[in-house]
Amino acid sequence: MTYHKKPTSKVPWYFAPAYLLFWLVLLFAVVVPVFFSLPTGLTIQNASLNPGRFIAERAERILIDFDKIGPKVVGSHANENHTVQLLLDQLEDIRRVMQTDLFEMEIDVQVVSGAYIHWTMVNMYQGVQNVVVRFRTKASTSESYLLINSHFDSKPGSPGSGDDGAMVVIMLETLRVLATNRRPFRHPIVFLFNGAEENPLQASHGFITQHKWAKNCKALINLDSAGSGNREILFQSGPNHPWLMDIYRKSVKRSYATTFAEEIFQAGILPSDTDFRIFSTYGKLPGLDLAHSYNGYVYHTKFDSASVIPRGTLQTTGDNILAMARAFSNSSELKDPSRHAKGHNVFYDFFGYFVVYYTEATARVLNTCVAVGAVALIGISMYLMAAESYVSLGYIIRLFLRIFLLHLIGWILAFVLPLVMALIFDSADRSLTWFTSKWLIFGLYICPTLLGLSTPTLLYLSISRNDKVSAPFRLQLVDHAHTLILAILCIGLTFMGIRSSYFLMIPLLFHGISLVLNMITTLHKRSYYWSVFVILCQVIPFLYFTYLFHGLLCTIMPMMGRFGSASNPDLYIAIITIMGIMLSMGYLIPLLNIFNRPKLVFLILPVITLVIALTAMSKIGFPYRPKTNVQRVNLLEVRRVFYEFDGTVSRNESGYLFDFQDRRKHLPLAPYVDLEDLYNISDDCDKYMMCGMPIFNHRTTKSRRQAAWLPREVPLQLPGVPRLTLLRKSVNTSTESVRFEFELEGPSHMSIFVQPLEKVTVSGWSFLPDLLRRQPPFHVFFSYGKISTPLKFYIDLKKENSEFDESVMQLGISAHYVSFEHERDEETKKFLATFPPYSYVMEWPSSYERYIF
């Protein structure tokens, strides 16, 4: 007997564009508005109608005053005096309106000195400041404190209104609401306004290691920024304290959190760090790390002003911080958090409406069960398919393996095509075309991803003539192949300890639901009607992943402008885009095969890619725009002098040291700035200690081989000259060593580089000894705030032959006049004036003296 299949009819091809348009409309009509939605900021005028509420306008007024101070670099009058006084004045205003019968507030200005090893250097500080407030209910006897931290210092040239002024004023308004509202709380709260985070992370280290209240702090809410505006993202939690997420979930009004951001940040991929690490490392504090991450284009520039921060941002973040402060200060867990340490969390929000969180152990069980369950369901589906098609199960399995192999090739192409596009644009010096025109990634990376994923199975379904198994069943097998790949990846990543593997669990879960519904209703065997449930069940994953990856791209794209010149930023954006598309559209794009003429529909994708690629090569793809999307250029005006052992000068020259922050380096500047004599200093790095340059800190140490030097003929006029004095040279014959004692006087930011010569070792010094276990040259970064007394230090050296009348070490002194309180010379002003309006130059004068002792 011959079995004849029932004829199946496809949907007319002209409905296919409407199908694709539906998802685009869903993105722009739902996802984007939700992402950017902010509450209306409450005003002082209606404060009486909102008792106990955070008032955004009051915080905004303080932020405007904060902004007017200008850049707040450690060691400057603006940071050490003006800003500290602003904070003290605001705190006294709060004290005057405080409910004194219920609460007490103690204010302490900590001036602290210390040191710790930060990456590859000793990070040493002297006289940096913290404004610390302990606020408590008078009736409370608790000695367990909640710590809330933000910083008020800024990068050179930036007023720092977003990073981190917005969080500073949110803390002040939070304190005011708590102090004026008659709601007592169980545990005291310490508000730490730290004055040296950008230096980096010095004031938080000084607090947690030396302040009288530090030992009582049991949990942390850290507030920072990598942008200006929109909502704050929770990107670090714990570690190992799930109760923190329980409080966050129950208290915040508008959540924005994801484990994925935490894993990216902790992997060191992003060019950022926060005080959270210091509190966790040196204070063992569990906590939450939150930051504004939108509009990172103005981050650390002069455009980071109060004017770019919406009042709604202050309101939504203020509401959340106030709610968390109340919840944490009344929690039973704060008394002894160590009793509630139960492993890592998996956490994520949905559109800000609610938070899902569970332990990593639960995630392993959940991910495994969902993945195994999904695989079991496709096994049942194939069994039913075989029965309906009157073929053996083995026949269906062989057909499935063929389609699985083709779909696996599609996965490979989905990754390869966008990455090839990224490499092509980079090789043509056209990286970052999407930096301002974000929509270009639609053609550059989204369409190639969809094309690569779909092409192998599309061609197979179009040319295969399998009369035993119907076309709808074969298309179901494509979905089954996608399910199997996701399930394998889900289980593998889960047991590799990657908590973001919940990404794979979500589409598997919802697709499993669609499989069950199709089997129950028997739609799985009714032509293409089964696709209805697939589409409906993928709406929520589509909304979630487009929401998440849209937010991620809004954060990462601006960061690529300060990611350094050594790596291709298009590769990072391509990978993020690929992940977002595979998770949001992986089940949906193959369903274009339910329409007639699917090859005609898929032809749209390469056409769009070609058109947008050509557009990206035009002026539209030029990355930078004045004020809003600038090219960052870090530039030092340098005078460097090399002193030999006998005191003679072998080199004395001036120039500009460029540390380009993005992949395009000097090319966008060439039409405006005379860079004819610019050269890379990599060869100098092979000849001289630390390249013979005034390397600033750990980041510039890492990227120094990518730096470039532009000589200048006119000698640099420095605002001052650092003074290194050899106080004493003592030879110890019993230990066969020599001690050099020095005194160093200079600006608020200096570095000391030590390189022992051949057959000489540094046996000891006055700095942290642990750094000496590493390979030289050794780097000591020294900065001061309120206390500017000279630095005294010693270095002990040993030599094999104990001959100390000859040279034994190189000593480099790097001095940086980072504040605008130091005048630039006329030649520098003329040079800086030649830079194009779409660039932002973070610059300062510096000197470098190399001595041989």
Side-chain angles (χ1 to χ4, degrees), residues 253-407:
K253 294 188 175 183
R254 185 72 184 278
S255 57
Y256 185 27
T258 172
T259 293
F260 187 48
E262 178 178 73
E263 291 193 315
I264 289 178
F265 190 86
Q266 293 180 351
I269 297 173
L270 303 182
S272 295
D273 205 352
T274 74
D275 289 315
F276 185 88
R277 185 173 64 81
I278 298 298
F279 293 124
S280 177
T281 301
Y282 295 96
K284 307 303 179 185
L285 286 188
L288 304 177
D289 202 3
L290 304 104
H292 292 131
S293 60
Y294 181 70
N295 194 19
Y297 297 106
V298 302
Y299 173 75
H300 285 179
T301 74
K302 65 181 179 182
F303 308 111
D304 184 14
S305 64
S307 61
V308 300
I309 301 173
R311 184 179 291 178
T313 289
L314 300 177
Q315 188 66 55
T316 190
T317 303
D319 285 341
N320 285 346
I321 300 307
L322 177 59
M324 281 191 282
R326 284 172 168 158
F328 275 101
S329 61
N330 283 299
S331 65
S332 58
E333 293 89 348
L334 193 64
K335 184 177 181 181
D336 186 6
S338 61
R339 294 177 56 193
H340 305 278
K342 298 178 181 177
H344 282 296
N345 289 320
V346 175
F347 58 89
Y348 46 94
D349 76 292
F350 183 76
F351 274 40
Y353 298 137
F354 60 87
V355 177
V356 177
Y357 88 95
Y358 39 83
T359 65
E360 188 174 12
T362 301
R364 284 195 291 270
V365 175
L366 177 63
N367 291 358
T368 303
C369 289
V370 170
V372 171
V375 173
L377 285 172
I378 65 174
I380 295 171
S381 174
M382 287 193 290
Y383 174 80
L384 297 175
M385 199 179 293
E388 183 68 20
S389 302
Y390 294 93
V391 297
S392 67
L393 180 60
Y395 184 91
I396 293 293
I397 291 174
R398 289 192 297 273
L399 179 60
F400 170 72
L401 290 176
R402 189 182 310 143
I403 290 175
F404 175 83
L405 179 60
L406 290 170
H407 194 61

Side-chain angles (χ1 to χ4, degrees), residues 136 423 507 620:
R136 65 191 304 167
L423 292 172
I620 295 174

Side-chain angles (χ1 to χ4, degrees), residues 518-530:
N518 273 317
M519 291 177 193
I520 292 174
T521 60
T522 69
L523 286 182
H524 67 284
K525 59 183 180 181
R526 300 184 187 179
S527 186
Y528 292 102
Y529 290 107
W530 55 268

Side-chain angles (χ1 to χ4, degrees), residues 740-758:
F740 292 91
E741 298 179 52
F742 298 98
E743 180 178 86
L744 177 62
E745 185 175 7
S748 60
H749 293 70
M750 294 184 284
S751 282
I752 302 167
F753 306 111
V754 180
Q755 173 74 66
L757 299 183
E758 189 176 359

Side-chain angles (χ1 to χ4, degrees), residues 714-735:
V714 180
L716 178 68
Q717 301 299 311
L718 286 164
V721 179
R723 186 175 65 189
L724 177 72
T725 304
L726 176 62
L727 301 177
R728 192 176 295 105
K729 177 183 177 181
S730 308
V731 176
N732 188 327
T733 55
S734 61
T735 60

Side-chain angles (χ1 to χ4, degrees), residues 780-800:
V780 178
F781 178 78
F782 172 71
S783 66
Y784 60 79
K786 196 72 174 175
I787 302 173
S788 59
T789 54
L791 173 67
K792 292 184 178 181
F793 64 96
Y794 68 84
I795 301 173
D796 294 332
L797 299 113
K798 281 191 172 184
K799 191 177 181 184
E800 287 184 4

Side-chain angles (χ1 to χ4, degrees), residues 418-436:
L419 296 180
V420 168
M421 184 72 75
L423 292 172
I424 290 173
F425 269 74
D426 183 64
S427 63
D429 292 325
R430 288 294 187 274
S431 59
L432 292 165
T433 56
W434 35 261
F435 190 65
T436 292

Side-chain angles (χ1 to χ4, degrees), residues 626-823:
K627 297 183 180 180
T628 58
N629 303 67
V630 293
Q631 181 188 21
R632 298 166 184 267
V633 181
N634 288 1
L635 170 66
L636 300 183
E637 302 100 47
V638 178
R639 187 185 71 188
R640 58 176 183 166
V641 181
F642 290 7
Y643 295 98
E644 298 304 321
F645 183 65
D646 60 3
T648 59
V649 174
S650 60
R651 192 165 192 166
N652 186 348
E653 62 180 348
S654 297
Y656 303 104
L657 181 64
F658 286 83
D659 180 20
F660 294 107
Q661 296 297 289
D662 70 39
R663 187 67 163 177
R664 291 210 175 190
K665 297 185 282 190
H666 66 284
L667 294 178
L669 305 174
Y672 297 85
V673 186
D674 183 5
L675 300 175
E676 184 178 355
D677 296 326
L678 185 75
Y679 66 89
N680 180 268
I681 67 167
S682 182
D683 289 342
D684 284 356
C685 296
D686 295 329
K687 298 177 185 176
Y688 307 115
M689 174 182 64
M690 299 301 284
C691 308
M693 292 292 178
I695 304 301
F696 183 57
N697 60 19
H698 60 294
R699 293 195 184 281
T700 48
T701 298
K702 183 179 179 181
S703 63
R704 65 186 185 271
R705 285 187 172 273
Q706 283 76 50
W709 174 254
L710 179 67
R712 65 179 249 182
E713 294 181 2
V714 180
L716 178 68
Q717 301 299 311
L718 286 164
V721 179
R723 186 175 65 189
L724 177 72
T725 304
L726 176 62
L727 301 177
R728 192 176 295 105
K729 177 183 177 181
S730 308
V731 176
N732 188 327
T733 55
S734 61
T735 60
E736 298 182 329
S737 65
V738 60
R739 169 170 289 189
F740 292 91
E741 298 179 52
F742 298 98
E743 180 178 86
L744 177 62
E745 185 175 7
S748 60
H749 293 70
M750 294 184 284
S751 282
I752 302 167
F753 306 111
V754 180
Q755 173 74 66
L757 299 183
E758 189 176 359
K759 298 182 179 180
V760 180
T761 59
V762 178
S763 57
W765 61 359
S766 55
F767 307 114
L768 298 178
D770 289 351
L771 193 71
L772 298 179
R773 300 191 184 101
R774 306 185 185 188
Q775 290 297 313
F778 306 116
H779 181 187
V780 178
F781 178 78
F782 172 71
S783 66
Y784 60 79
K786 196 72 174 175
I787 302 173
S788 59
T789 54
L791 173 67
K792 292 184 178 181
F793 64 96
Y794 68 84
I795 301 173
D796 294 332
L797 299 113
K798 281 191 172 184
K799 191 177 181 184
E800 287 184 4
N801 59 13
S802 300
E803 291 291 333
F804 297 114
D805 291 331
E806 54 191 29
S807 58
V808 290
M809 73 168 171
Q810 295 184 62
L811 188 67
I813 302 297
S814 164
H816 300 268
Y817 300 86
V818 297
S819 170
F820 277 105
E821 295 167 6
H822 300 293
E823 187 70 18

